[in-house]
Amino acid sequence: MQETATVKHPLNLEGVEIGKVVDFDAASDQLYPFNLTASNTELSPEVLADTAVFSDWISGHLANANARYGIGGYDEHRTIYARSHHFDSEEEPRRLHLGVDIWGPAGTKVYNFYDAVVHSFKFNDHYGDYGATIILKYVVKGQVFHALYGHLSLASLTGLQVGQKMAKGKAFATFGIPEENGHWPPHLHFQLIFNLYTAKGDYPGVCQFSKKSGFLLNSPDPAVILKHTFKGGLI
C-alpha cells in the first residue's frame, strides 16, 4: 500500500492537514497485513462459512502478532466473497476489493479525517453486505470526493441527517458487531469515491475483475488518507 514516486495519486492533498481515521500510536501499536486472496490456504471454506470461526481467525492472527489492527485489501482479488450470494452474478462474480479494510474489535471508534458533510447513510442489511454504512462528502483544495465507511454499528446511524456538517476529528461511528455489519468479523471498510452517480448510502466495494480499471479510477487508493493515521506503520 506504499505510494511510489512514479505513481501520481489522482487526489492532490499536498499541504493539507489530514486527521486520523482510527486511534493509532506508532510507538506502541502494530499493524498486521492480512492476505485474503486464494494464495492464503488458511482461509478454508469451513472458516469462511462460519462468521464466528472467521472472526476467531482474524482476532487470533492479531493477538499472535500483538497487533492492534489488521489492514489491507485495496485492489486485492479475493476469494472470500464466495461466502455470500451478495457478490454473485450470472456473467461474472464480484471479487476485486475497492477499499481498505481495517480489522479490529467491535466498538472501535471511527474519526472524520477532514471537514465534511453527510452525503447519505443506510443499513444495508444483507448477508455479506456493508451493514450500517455512512458516506461523507469532502471538498479539499477544490476537489470533490466521498468516503464510504462500511460495517459500522447500527448506533452509528442514530441522529444523522443528510447535509449535516461533520467536523474534522469528530468520532462519528464505531465498528459494528456481525449482526449489524453484514455478518463479517468486526472491521471498517474505508473507500474513496469520486462519482457516486445516483447511489445513496451504498456503492460497490467489490467489483467484477473485468471492470477493474474503471472502478479503480473512480475509487483511488485510500492510502493517501490512511498514511496520516498509520504514520510509522505499514501505510
Side-chain angles (χ1 to χ4, degrees), residues 10-89:
L11 277 176
N12 175 17
L13 301 179
E14 184 178 355
V16 178
E17 291 190 12
I18 299 296
K20 64 185 177 182
V21 174
V22 294
D23 288 311
F24 184 78
D25 183 349
S28 58
D29 295 332
Q30 302 294 324
L31 284 173
Y32 180 83
F34 275 108
N35 169 16
L36 302 184
T37 69
S39 66
N40 189 342
T41 56
E42 290 183 36
L43 287 171
S44 66
E46 292 74 23
V47 170
L48 295 176
D50 189 316
T51 303
V53 174
F54 190 11
S55 297
D56 287 344
W57 184 87
I58 292 285
S59 59
H61 277 275
L62 294 180
N64 290 339
N66 195 29
R68 185 170 186 177
Y69 304 107
I71 197 161
Y74 181 70
D75 192 14
E76 186 174 70
H77 194 232
R78 295 174 165 181
T79 55
I80 64 172
Y81 299 116
R83 72 192 294 264
S84 170
H85 293 302
H86 179 67
F87 302 97
D88 292 343
S89 70

Side-chain angles (χ1 to χ4, degrees), residues 3-223:
E3 292 183 76
T4 66
T6 58
V7 178
K8 184 178 180 181
H9 199 280
L11 277 176
N12 175 17
L13 301 179
E14 184 178 355
V16 178
E17 291 190 12
I18 299 296
K20 64 185 177 182
V21 174
V22 294
D23 288 311
F24 184 78
D25 183 349
S28 58
D29 295 332
Q30 302 294 324
L31 284 173
Y32 180 83
F34 275 108
N35 169 16
L36 302 184
T37 69
S39 66
N40 189 342
T41 56
E42 290 183 36
L43 287 171
S44 66
E46 292 74 23
V47 170
L48 295 176
D50 189 316
T51 303
V53 174
F54 190 11
S55 297
D56 287 344
W57 184 87
I58 292 285
S59 59
H61 277 275
L62 294 180
N64 290 339
N66 195 29
R68 185 170 186 177
Y69 304 107
I71 197 161
Y74 181 70
D75 192 14
E76 186 174 70
H77 194 232
R78 295 174 165 181
T79 55
I80 64 172
Y81 299 116
R83 72 192 294 264
S84 170
H85 293 302
H86 179 67
F87 302 97
D88 292 343
S89 70
E90 292 182 3
E91 54 202 73
E92 178 189 352
R94 295 187 291 136
R95 296 290 184 265
L96 188 84
H97 194 241
L98 300 170
V100 167
D101 287 331
I102 302 173
W103 305 86
T108 296
K109 291 182 179 179
V110 180
Y111 298 86
N112 183 25
F113 62 85
Y114 196 82
D115 289 342
V117 297
V118 176
H119 174 275
S120 51
F121 53 95
K122 185 179 178 183
F123 184 33
N124 297 291
D125 190 21
H126 302 95
Y127 184 85
D129 208 335
Y130 288 128
T133 311
I134 298 173
I135 299 177
L136 300 184
K137 178 181 178 180
Y138 299 85
V139 181
V140 184
K141 296 178 68 174
Q143 304 161 111
V144 179
F145 64 98
H146 308 80
L148 184 150
Y149 302 81
H151 308 298
L152 305 174
S153 65
L154 196 53
S156 301
L157 307 185
T158 301
L160 286 183
Q161 294 183 350
V162 172
Q164 172 185 339
K165 291 183 179 179
M166 190 74 70
K168 173 186 173 183
K170 180 177 177 60
F172 69 96
T174 56
F175 292 15
I177 60 175
E179 292 79 9
E180 299 176 343
N181 77 0
H183 298 275
W184 290 96
H187 72 290
L188 172 70
H189 173 93
F190 180 71
Q191 180 176 344
L192 302 183
I193 305 161
F194 286 119
N195 193 340
L196 284 163
Y197 301 97
T198 60
K200 294 182 179 180
D202 194 9
Y203 183 83
V206 182
C207 74
Q208 296 164 331
F209 191 79
S210 64
K211 299 179 180 179
K212 167 180 176 174
S213 58
F215 272 98
L216 291 181
L217 282 173
N218 197 38
S219 286
D221 191 346

